[in-house]
Amino acid sequence: MTEDNPPIAHPESASLGNQLPLLSNITNQHQEHAATGTVAETIVDSNDNDNDSSNNTVHAMEGDNSHVTPTTSGHKILSFDNKKQDNHDHGHARHYQDLEQVEEVPTVLTGVAPSTVEGYSIYSNIKDGKASIEHQIEINVVDLFDVQSNKEISLEEVMDGLRYVMEYRIKGGRYPSLDVDVMKRLADGLLMNMGNSEKKRRVRQKLTEEADVAFQLFGEFILEVQEFRQAVGEKPVSDLRHFLKLDVRCGNGSTVQQQQAAVALIALLTGIYPQFSDWKELVKSDGQSDVQKSMKEHADFVKAEKMPELGGLILAPEALCFDRRIKRCLKMYRTNLETGLPSEAIPALQEHYGKNVLPEPPRVSTLKMIINQLTDFIVLMLIAVAIIMAATKEFISMAVLLVVVILNTIIGFVQEYKAGKALDALTKLSVPKAQVLRDGVTSVINSEELVPGDIVILEEGESVPADLRLAEVSQLEIIESILTGESVAVNKDPKEIKTLTRKLPLGDCKGNAFMSTVVAKGRGKGIVVRTGRLTEMGKISAAITGAPTQLTPVQRKLALLGKILVLLALVLCAVMACILILWHGHPTGESLLTALSLAVSVIPEGLVAVVTVTMAMGVRRMAARSAIVRTLPAVETLGSVTFICSDKTGTLTEGKMGAAELWTSDGTAYGFTESTSLDPNKGDVFLKNNDVTPEIIEKSIEKVPAQMLISLMVSSLCNNSSVVQDDDEKDVKDVAVAVPTQEAVDTIPPTKTVEWKGIGDPTEVALVVAAQKAGFPKSYFHDLGYSRVYEQAFDSERKVMSVVYKAPVDTSIANGAHYEFVLAKGAPEEILNRCVGFLPPVAPGSVTSPLDVLKPSESDLAIPVTEDFYDQVTDASGRMADNGLRVLGLAYKRVRVNGGGAVDDGFGDGLDHVNKVKEEKEVAAATLKPTKLDMITAANVAQADDDDEEEIPPGYAESDLVFLGLIGLIDPARAGVKESVRICKEAGITVVMITGDHIKTASAIAKELGILQEGGRAIKGEELDLLSEQAIAELRPFPNVFARVSPDNKLKLVTALQSRGESAAMTGDGVNDAPAIKAANVGVAMGIAGTDITKQAADIVLANDNFNTIVEAVEEGRRVFDNILKFIVYLLSCNCAEIFLFLLCAMVDVPLPFTVIMILWANIIADVPPAMALGVEPAEHGLMQRDPRSPKRGVLTRASLTVIIFQSMVMTLMTFGVYMQAVYKKSQDKTLSDDELQYYQSEAFAFLTCLQLLQGFLSRTMRTSVFKTNFFSNPWMIYGVLTSFTLMIIGIFVPGFNTKVLTLVPVTGVSWAKIVVGCVIQLTLSEIEKLILRITGSTL
């Protein structure tokens, strides 16, 4: 077979990286070869299935130093020369007569022998098939368009990937023809990203390095790929002028490389395309002079027909490579599985890739934490007032204020310190040591020294030091709970996984091991493919450390309220000073001190303390309900959530998969009892019928129907999971647990409790359990002599898993004989499409044993699949999926093999068919002078590169199957979740289910729970990947179910909800959920399944992993905010009463009713105890029937402000009336003495304080009448008011303390009578106010 796309070699003097040489040079070389008669023999062999890939064996004649000419057979080469050329004398090559002419060039290869190290080049040795190259380009093209909206992908990574594909797989004429549509999208993507500029520079536009790479690739693809040239030729000149930015690339501040690249691309465009022949049309008019200047300075590139080199090594990009075969990975990373990397190569690789270390979390010093608390606006105001108090020798007032400041600082510091623990947990994730193979020697090194290409050896109990592509495994099982939240160890398989995307759920990456996961069993050897920040753990670490710390809604609102109050205090202070000094002519010093006392009245000193204590009490109550709160503000924030995004498995459901139904090809349906119990002694299989009493199927092979037995045989044997006995005193017992006899059961001591646990994928565990319930575990078939001989693992492309079992030798037949059979399970549609027949009802007596169905015979029991049967299976599968079952199809096939002892020379359909040695492919011809790194790693890259697909024995192919039935699995909903969802809907909260299940299964469970209702919407993760955050936010109606979603999508979902003004709560358990949990308004981690770092990043941890607990926490959060609002209204009503009282007294020019120390004392005794009692007020009736508060709404609404003003004016006017009645009457008779003024001030103090304490009782409800409230339902209010009243009495009547400290004197009975009357008036007016609120329905 002739070669389609051989590589083109270039002069050894060329710089690293292939370039397309001048066609004239190539022609001259070819003519020289023809003249001398020195022509290389070329042996070409193409093994690619699509005839798109080939490997070359090149034999150069001894002493031949000629260069390689471009060779094609059947492919066209475009000439970039306008000169007409004569045809070659030999007729081997024809050249273009003009731009439109296209001819063929013969296959002629010469060059340095492949064994010569000096002639080695990595670029000419790695070859992929055309489909593979197009696939890799397509992945990067998708990322080019998604890079702006997807924060997990960087433009640098995408450009590195495209550059690698160009340099390693396309350049040099390897593949001059690629898919047209892919090339069109690539051209659009490169144009879109080649104009990116650095955001820091605003005066002068400076293009980014990624933009330069995009520009370079644009030119190189024009040179190399015909279809890309066509795509560029279709572009309007205006588009090229806009995107290429040639004026910027040649303008002031541009680099030499940018200028050279611009000149080279102009030469290509004007030389190839007639429509672009005038270069000035490609450049903005004001930049044409700069471009012309660059063309003169870099005239060499006008005719060079090549792009200037970017410089630097182009090594394999860091990627998981799960879709790559092992030999391909070894070549990509220049390594060898037996010897590893050479030590000499490590420095260069470390310089390129960097150290294998996780991003360091930002550290906040203790001093800075304290300073952050002291720089709060309210705290700064209190400190300023305390300083002024000290200056005026009011030391007692100063001490009180400083105590408040110190308490606030301590509380805030503790909270910030705890929040920092999430970042500290990241430092524990790095692995200190690694066992690595270098220079053929195994050694233990610091894991930070690892580089991509290192061969790491994994042993049981060790942690994985970097992201690996596993190459060899021996019963390797790795616990990935730190990433996925799944505590079950994952069986690893190095086989590549075919997929159409670079993104694959971590749980499906069977051929990879991830940093910080732990080897639970076995050993393995892997290639390091990602290190440091690019590892899965590194990306999560960067997301957590890079996420800005956001204030919760209540923190923002209280901070805003504090600033408003401080501003109000300053304004009122200035007003008071102006009234006293300018209006009444009082002394300046005295007036300023009085105005300062007013400012103290405005600031609610107890607000911070009361809010903190209230939230702390909420934390205690939530802990009693199995919700552990890590950050106090999350208590209130949870009460305001509008969306709860919950995982399905284990939160909405029990998290235990079990078989619910088995439907066999004869139309019979079977059910399972206790299907989620792992105990093989519990549960049965019963025949589903219309009878009231189900018919239990006997656990005997003579009684069991053939379809049921073979179906459960598939469930049990086509399976790598197991159920084992969990015995602390002994090693874990074997998987294949047989059902014990009744005699054995009777001998088990009644006091001994046997615990069982599943090992492996929960779905496969459920299938194993289903077979055990019927009495046919794995051990049953193993004991009969059946053994596995082959397996095709499940992958996301095929959606099928199959195994081949060999039956025991039949000794009853002469010479013995054995037979083999294929057992397959997978997606129902995939299984059914691979079936040519189905197993009909097996008549009694037609077979000796149900297992005889699998024996080869002349008469086949299976009958062909018909349209009617296809419809039956489809209906049954749809019915089961609609019931929330995860449905799998089951099938088998008999295999023709050589008879046991009578083996002949022919091949059967089994393994003997492929028992042959594959030919080792030759290394491609050397092309370029190598770099030092090339030389060091040349031996590794020169390894055989077998790109052929693994040949599957014909008989083992997943085709021509016989359909057996369907088995439906279910993860039952948790008890009480449906009621909790109903409560959420009544509370105006939207519940969103997030799951990795199939969309039908997820929708069925969501409908059962009431999450998805008529008109609702469900969306798949692959659809979510295609939408930007803005597009997700604009979805109408917003989906209630997100199926097939990876943890990466959660962060995107959270930010989309927040962008539309929602307050979102997000649940999660694995480490990769941590970024979404941290970004959510309330992050909820699972206490049982959750990892430590997820819990550290979360605001709330559910001790029982139960969704019902979230709803209870929401109710508690609403109660907390309701109580916060109550005491804020209460505090501001009391403080505003003091403010208005001061202003009225100042305006009428009478002595102020309170001194500064009186105000502070009143605020302490009247504000703090009742306010704290309000913080533990029981939830009001109908709390969960209210709509959630909008996150945009402030703490106070117009209605609540009206209530504050009304309540404060009631207390102000009554106190002002009592005070003025005494002061004004006395001042009319004679001048007030100091003792008289002190008494009237004490009377006003007692009057206002008592009104404030009564207001505490009245504030227990905002709308409901106080007479409908149980007086004793909040005993803390009674204790708080009694405490405050006692402190007031002490301040008034205790000798020494009253006069010397507080300047108060005892009051008489007349004053107490006034107080009683005032309280009655206040109670009456309060009830009228609440009646009006109930009638108007105002929002507080």
Side-chain angles (χ1 to χ4, degrees):
M1 185 183 295
T2 59
E3 179 182 354
D4 289 339
N5 302 296
I8 298 177
H10 303 292
E12 294 181 2
S13 59
S15 59
L16 181 63
N18 294 338
Q19 303 167 352
L20 187 66
L22 286 170
L23 189 61
S24 58
N25 293 343
I26 299 172
T27 306
N28 293 335
Q29 294 167 16
H30 181 67
Q31 290 172 345
E32 291 171 8
H33 294 314
T36 59
T38 306
V39 179
E41 276 183 59
T42 305
I43 302 175
V44 182
D45 182 28
S46 175
N47 291 321
D48 189 276
N49 292 334
D50 298 326
N51 294 327
D52 290 320
S53 172
S54 61
N55 290 271
N56 307 327
T57 304
V58 182
H59 302 279
M61 294 185 65
E62 187 175 350
D64 185 8
N65 296 321
S66 57
H67 303 299
V68 179
T69 60
T71 60
T72 58
S73 178
H75 281 283
K76 312 266 178 144
I77 291 185
L78 176 65
S79 170
F80 301 128
D81 258 333
N82 290 330
K83 299 178 181 178
K84 294 183 179 180
Q85 302 175 3
D86 295 328
N87 292 345
H88 193 275
D89 294 338
H90 291 268
H92 290 162
R94 300 185 188 92
H95 305 296
Y96 301 111
Q97 300 300 318
D98 51 42
L99 279 172
E100 305 299 327
Q101 259 186 309
V102 180
E103 297 291 349
E104 295 184 356
V105 182
T107 302
V108 180
L109 287 176
T110 61
V112 182
S115 58
T116 306
V117 175
E118 287 75 18
Y120 164 76
S121 173
I122 180 69
Y123 307 113
S124 62
N125 281 287
I126 294 186
K127 293 177 59 60
D128 274 346
K130 178 180 176 183
S132 175
I133 293 175
E134 291 169 347
H135 172 65
Q136 293 300 316
I137 295 176
E138 178 70 24
I139 290 175
N140 286 287
V141 168
V142 171
D143 291 339
L144 275 178
F145 290 98
D146 195 33
V147 71
Q148 301 298 330
S149 57
N150 192 341
K151 298 176 182 177
E152 296 179 5
I153 303 173
S154 69
L155 187 58
E156 180 185 3
E157 292 178 62
V158 180
M159 289 303 166
D160 284 348
L162 284 171
R163 195 178 175 198
Y164 179 83
V165 172
M166 168 56 69
E167 293 290 342
Y168 279 58
R169 304 170 190 175
I170 298 177
K171 222 174 192 182
R174 290 183 181 87
Y175 286 98
S177 178
L178 295 172
D179 183 79
V180 175
D181 290 334
V182 174
M183 291 299 100
K184 285 182 177 180
R185 291 195 296 275
L186 175 61
D188 291 338
L190 290 175
L191 285 171
M192 185 177 66
N193 287 281
M194 67 173 59
N196 296 338
S197 57
E198 294 182 2
K199 296 180 180 179
K200 294 181 180 179
R201 292 181 172 246
R202 298 186 179 180
V203 177
R204 179 186 299 165
Q205 187 177 11
K206 182 177 180 180
L207 299 174
T208 62
E209 291 183 11
E210 291 78 13
D212 288 342
V213 176
F215 191 88
Q216 176 84 9
L217 288 170
F218 189 80
E220 290 177 348
F221 271 99
I222 289 177
L223 284 167
E224 298 288 346
V225 183
Q226 172 69 27
E227 288 73 16
F228 192 87
R229 290 194 287 272
Q230 294 174 1
V232 174
E234 296 171 0
K235 299 293 179 187
V237 67
S238 58
D239 286 357
L240 294 181
R241 181 170 59 246
H242 172 72
F243 288 112
L244 294 179
K245 295 188 181 297
L246 295 171
D247 55 324
V248 177
R249 296 182 181 279
C250 295
N252 293 331
S254 60
T255 64
V256 172
Q257 197 281 333
Q258 288 176 334
Q259 294 172 14
Q260 292 174 348
V263 171
L265 188 59
I266 290 174
L268 290 177
L269 293 175
T270 56
I272 297 173
Y273 306 100
Q275 64 269 37
F276 304 142
S277 59
D278 185 359
W279 67 266
K280 292 183 178 180
E281 293 183 354
L282 297 169
V283 185
K284 292 181 180 180
S285 57
D286 56 353
Q288 290 176 3
S289 59
D290 291 332
V291 173
Q292 193 167 16
K293 180 181 177 183
S294 296
M295 292 172 71
K296 292 179 180 178
E297 292 177 355
H298 306 288
D300 292 344
F301 286 90
V302 174
K303 297 182 179 180
E305 295 183 353
K306 66 179 181 179
M307 297 297 291
E309 290 298 321
L310 287 174
L313 284 175
I314 303 176
L315 299 176
E318 297 183 66
L320 289 178
C321 300
F322 50 75
D323 58 344
R324 292 291 184 188
R325 300 175 71 83
I326 301 305
K327 290 183 179 180
R328 170 66 64 212
C329 292
L330 291 170
K331 282 204 166 191
M332 285 176 61
Y333 291 101
R334 306 166 179 246
T335 190
N336 185 289
L337 201 58
E338 303 304 324
T339 60
L341 288 171
S343 298
E344 298 172 87
I346 301 303
L349 293 172
Q350 283 183 346
E351 182 179 357
H352 179 82
Y353 291 113
K355 292 280 190 178
N356 179 36
V357 293
L358 295 177
E360 281 289 329
R363 302 285 181 180
V364 180
S365 65
T366 302
L367 180 60
K368 188 173 182 180
M369 290 184 188
I370 295 174
I371 292 175
N372 289 340
Q373 304 306 318
L374 293 176
T375 52
D376 182 77
F377 205 52
I378 291 182
V379 174
L380 287 175
M381 183 65 183
L382 293 175
I383 293 174
V385 174
I387 292 173
I388 295 174
M389 289 294 177
T392 57
K393 298 184 179 180
E394 295 284 345
F395 296 113
I396 296 177
S397 301
M398 178 202 71
V400 173
L401 288 172
L402 290 179
V403 167
V404 172
V405 170
I406 292 172
L407 288 175
N408 176 72
T409 302
I410 292 173
I411 293 170
F413 170 78
V414 171
Q415 292 303 311
E416 188 172 351
Y417 181 79
K418 288 181 178 179
K421 287 297 184 181
L423 301 180
D424 291 340
L426 292 173
T427 59
K428 301 177 182 178
L429 297 178
S430 57
V431 180
K433 298 290 183 181
Q435 191 177 175
V436 66
L437 183 64
R438 288 179 181 172
D439 299 319
V441 178
T442 302
S443 58
V444 177
I445 65 171
N446 290 329
S447 62
E448 66 178 30
E449 301 297 326
L450 290 175
V451 294
D454 265 325
I455 303 299
V456 172
I457 298 172
L458 299 176
E459 302 283 357
E460 188 170 323
E462 293 181 349
S463 294
V464 181
D467 285 0
L468 310 179
R469 174 67 170 92
L470 295 172
E472 294 178 358
V473 299
S474 175
Q475 297 182 329
L476 182 64
E477 296 181 6
I478 296 180
I479 298 175
E480 298 177 345
S481 59
I482 193 170
L483 285 173
T484 64
E486 297 290 341
S487 59
V488 177
V490 178
N491 292 304
K492 292 298 180 178
D493 183 355
K495 186 177 180 181
E496 77 277 9
I497 301 172
K498 301 298 183 183
T499 179
L500 299 178
T501 175
R502 79 164 73 225
K503 294 179 66 177
L504 193 68
L506 297 185
D508 294 343
C509 296
K510 305 291 187 182
N512 293 97
F514 299 98
M515 177 187 273
S516 301
T517 56
V518 180
V519 178
K521 180 183 177 183
R523 64 189 306 274
K525 187 184 289 186
I527 310 163
V528 175
V529 292
R530 293 197 307 192
T531 58
R533 62 181 181 85
L534 293 181
T535 63
E536 202 63 34
M537 196 61 67
K539 292 178 180 179
I540 295 167
S541 176
I544 294 176
T545 57
T549 303
Q550 296 183 345
L551 296 176
T552 65
V554 71
Q555 287 176 317
R556 291 194 299 269
K557 293 168 186 176
L558 289 177
L560 178 61
L561 178 62
K563 292 176 182 178
I564 293 174
L565 292 176
V566 170
L567 182 62
L568 179 62
L570 295 174
V571 171
L572 292 176
C573 184
V575 170
M576 174 68 76
C578 290
I579 291 175
L580 294 177
I581 298 172
L582 301 179
W583 191 355
H584 299 301
H586 289 204
T588 302
E590 180 184 343
S591 299
L592 290 176
L593 188 60
T594 303
L596 194 60
S597 64
L598 178 64
V600 174
S601 297
V602 175
I603 301 173
E605 297 89 350
L607 179 60
V608 175
V610 171
V611 169
T612 303
V613 172
T614 300
M615 290 183 177
M617 296 297 291
V619 168
R620 292 185 60 184
R621 293 192 297 268
M622 291 173 73
R625 295 185 174 191
S626 299
I628 302 166
V629 180
R630 296 191 61 258
T631 57
L632 287 182
V635 180
E636 179 278 331
T637 309
L638 191 57
S640 64
V641 297
T642 56
F643 271 76
I644 298 178
C645 304
S646 175
D647 288 334
K648 178 184 77 72
T649 304
T651 305
L652 295 171
T653 63
E654 292 182 3
K656 299 177 181 178
M657 192 69 72
E661 181 179 340
L662 172 66
W663 182 88
T664 54
S665 56
D666 60 352
T668 306
Y670 302 90
F672 298 83
T673 61
E674 298 192 49
S675 62
T676 58
S677 172
L678 299 181
D679 191 339
N681 304 313
K682 295 181 180 179
D684 296 288
V685 181
F686 63 89
L687 180 65
K688 283 190 171 183
N689 50 39
N690 297 325
D691 297 339
V692 177
T693 305
E695 179 184 343
I696 303 297
I697 304 298
E698 293 187 32
K699 300 178 181 181
S700 168
I701 195 169
E702 291 81 14
K703 303 291 184 181
V704 70
Q707 282 90 348
M708 174 186 156
L709 176 65
I710 306 301
S711 296
L712 293 177
M713 188 179 188
V714 175
S715 298
S716 180
L717 298 183
C718 186
N719 199 314
N720 290 319
S721 296
S722 56
V723 177
V724 299
Q725 184 174 326
D726 190 7
D727 192 341
D728 292 335
E729 297 181 0
K730 299 180 181 179
D731 294 335
V732 176
K733 296 185 179 179
D734 186 45
V735 164
V737 180
V739 177
T741 62
Q742 186 60 44
E743 181 182 355
V745 172
D746 293 339
T747 60
I748 296 178
T751 57
K752 183 177 178 61
T753 301
V754 179
E755 297 291 336
W756 301 84
K757 66 178 181 180
I759 302 296
D761 182 78
T763 299
E764 293 202 334
V765 169
L767 294 174
V768 171
V769 171
Q772 289 181 346
K773 302 297 181 190
F776 301 100
K778 284 186 178 181
S779 60
Y780 179 85
F781 301 105
H782 291 168
D783 292 345
L784 291 177
Y786 292 96
S787 58
R788 183 186 295 193
V789 295
Y790 192 80
E791 174 186 343
Q792 292 188 65
F794 177 89
D795 66 51
S796 57
E797 187 176 8
R798 290 171 27 254
K799 298 181 180 178
V800 174
M801 173 188 177
S802 63
V803 295
V804 179
Y805 267 76
K806 177 187 290 187
V809 175
D810 188 351
T811 56
S812 63
I813 302 176
N815 296 326
H818 78 269
Y819 60 91
E820 295 175 357
F821 50 88
V822 177
L823 303 177
K825 75 173 190 295
E829 63 276 12
E830 294 294 334
I831 289 292
L832 190 56
N833 290 336
R834 297 165 190 263
C835 290
V836 295
F838 68 94
L839 188 62
V842 179
S846 59
V847 290
T848 306
S849 166
L851 293 175
D852 291 344
V853 171
L854 301 173
K855 282 186 177 182
S857 61
E858 296 298 330
S859 60
D860 193 351
L861 294 175
I863 60 177
V865 172
T866 62
E867 285 296 325
D868 289 342
F869 180 77
Y870 197 99
D871 292 340
Q872 289 179 35
V873 176
T874 303
D875 291 343
S877 176
R879 173 183 58 79
M880 294 167 75
D882 290 341
N883 291 332
L885 304 184
R886 182 181 294 179
V887 186
L888 296 175
L890 309 172
Y892 78 96
K893 180 174 71 171
R894 300 183 298 185
V895 181
R896 179 178 67 85
V897 295
N898 298 318
V903 179
D904 57 27
D905 294 333
F907 289 123
D909 286 342
L911 286 175
D912 292 337
H913 183 76
V914 291
N915 186 19
K916 60 183 182 294
V917 179
K918 295 183 178 180
E919 295 180 357
E920 187 176 282
K921 296 184 179 179
E922 298 288 346
V923 180
T927 60
L928 297 177
K929 187 172 182 178
T931 66
K932 182 178 179 181
L933 185 60
D934 283 336
M935 296 179 183
I936 293 172
T937 59
N940 292 340
V941 186
Q943 301 170 82
D945 182 15
D946 186 2
D947 281 340
D948 289 341
E949 293 293 328
E950 180 183 353
E951 186 171 352
I952 300 172
Y956 296 175
E958 294 165 342
S959 59
D960 301 330
L961 302 177
V962 177
F963 191 83
L964 282 170
L966 303 168
I967 188 165
L969 310 173
I970 191 170
D971 180 9
R974 279 184 180 267
V977 170
K978 187 174 183 179
E979 175 65 15
S980 295
V981 172
R982 183 192 64 78
I983 292 173
C984 284
K985 292 198 172 184
E986 289 182 356
I989 301 171
T990 302
V991 179
V992 173
M993 174 192 286
I994 300 176
T995 179
D997 272 348
H998 190 277
I999 192 166
K1000 262 197 168 184
T1001 305
S1003 298
I1005 295 290
K1007 287 177 181 177
E1008 178 188 346
L1009 295 175
I1011 294 174
L1012 185 64
Q1013 294 183 327
E1014 194 69 30
R1017 186 176 185 178
I1019 191 172
K1020 291 186 288 187
E1022 59 190 38
E1023 299 171 17
L1024 195 64
D1025 288 332
L1026 300 177
L1027 298 176
S1028 64
E1029 291 176 4
Q1030 182 180 356
I1032 297 172
E1034 293 173 355
L1035 290 175
R1036 298 291 187 277
F1038 196 83
N1040 293 96
V1041 175
F1042 290 88
R1044 295 294 194 203
V1045 171
S1046 66
D1048 299 339
N1049 298 129
K1050 288 188 173 184
L1051 183 59
K1052 197 174 183 180
L1053 180 58
V1054 166
T1055 52
L1057 286 172
Q1058 291 173 336
S1059 68
R1060 55 183 274 173
E1062 306 289 353
S1063 179
M1066 174 64 73
T1067 69
D1069 44 25
V1071 170
N1072 48 4
D1073 291 331
I1077 284 178
K1078 188 174 182 182
N1081 299 90
V1082 179
V1084 183
M1086 302 296 108
I1088 299 174
T1091 57
D1092 288 340
I1093 190 170
T1094 310
K1095 296 174 187 176
Q1096 292 285 355
D1099 301 300
I1100 295 174
V1101 178
L1102 301 183
N1104 54 6
D1105 292 8
N1106 196 333
F1107 179 81
N1108 300 329
T1109 305
I1110 301 178
V1111 180
E1112 292 173 356
V1114 169
E1115 182 178 8
E1116 186 59 48
R1118 290 194 173 191
R1119 174 188 174 186
V1120 167
F1121 182 82
D1122 210 34
N1123 291 345
I1124 289 175
L1125 178 62
K1126 288 174 183 177
F1127 68 64
I1128 286 177
V1129 171
Y1130 167 71
L1131 287 175
L1132 294 183
S1133 297
C1134 295
N1135 288 11
C1136 286
E1138 297 169 1
I1139 294 167
F1140 296 149
L1141 180 60
F1142 270 52
L1143 286 174
L1144 286 176
C1145 291
M1147 292 175 67
V1148 299
D1149 195 21
V1150 297
L1152 296 181
F1154 300 159
T1155 62
V1156 176
I1157 191 62
M1158 285 185 193
I1159 294 172
L1160 292 174
W1161 182 248
N1163 287 348
I1164 291 174
I1165 66 171
D1167 289 0
V1168 178
M1172 287 187 172
L1174 286 173
V1176 294
E1177 183 70 25
E1180 289 190 41
H1181 179 71
L1183 188 63
M1184 289 298 285
Q1185 276 73 51
R1186 304 178 192 170
D1187 288 335
R1189 298 184 328 280
S1190 169
K1192 299 179 181 179
R1193 196 172 76 195
V1195 176
L1196 300 177
T1197 62
R1198 184 176 300 177
S1200 56
L1201 285 171
T1202 303
V1203 169
I1204 291 170
I1205 293 173
F1206 176 78
Q1207 292 177 353
S1208 60
M1209 288 303 297
V1210 168
M1211 291 184 281
T1212 296
L1213 293 176
M1214 285 195 293
T1215 305
F1216 180 72
V1218 169
Y1219 182 66
M1220 285 301 297
Q1221 180 266 338
V1223 173
Y1224 184 76
K1225 181 179 178 181
K1226 193 68 177 176
S1227 63
Q1228 292 296 323
D1229 298 338
K1230 60 179 181 179
T1231 303
L1232 282 172
S1233 64
D1234 291 342
D1235 292 340
E1236 289 174 332
L1237 178 59
Q1238 193 174 19
Y1239 179 84
Y1240 297 143
Q1241 287 178 330
S1242 299
E1243 183 182 56
F1245 174 83
F1247 190 89
L1248 182 58
T1249 303
C1250 288
L1251 291 182
Q1252 289 176 340
L1253 294 179
L1254 176 61
Q1255 186 60 47
F1257 266 109
L1258 300 178
S1259 297
R1260 291 180 61 190
T1261 61
M1262 301 296 289
R1263 293 186 182 86
T1264 308
S1265 171
V1266 71
F1267 298 108
K1268 293 185 178 180
T1269 304
N1270 184 351
F1271 183 80
F1272 299 102
S1273 61
N1274 185 4
W1276 292 105
M1277 178 59 73
I1278 299 174
Y1279 302 147
V1281 170
L1282 288 177
T1283 300
S1284 296
F1285 188 78
T1286 302
L1287 292 174
M1288 183 192 70
I1289 295 298
I1290 291 173
I1292 293 174
F1293 292 100
V1294 173
F1297 182 71
N1298 57 356
T1299 56
K1300 293 182 179 180
V1301 178
L1302 301 178
T1303 65
L1304 292 171
V1305 295
V1307 295
T1308 62
V1310 175
S1311 298
W1312 289 110
K1314 293 177 184 178
I1315 291 172
V1316 172
V1317 172
C1319 289
V1320 172
I1321 296 172
Q1322 182 184 20
L1323 177 60
T1324 304
L1325 293 175
S1326 176
E1327 288 297 308
I1328 295 173
E1329 167 226 318
K1330 292 179 180 179
L1331 177 62
I1332 295 172
L1333 288 176
R1334 291 197 297 272
I1335 294 173
T1336 58
S1338 301
T1339 302
L1340 294 172

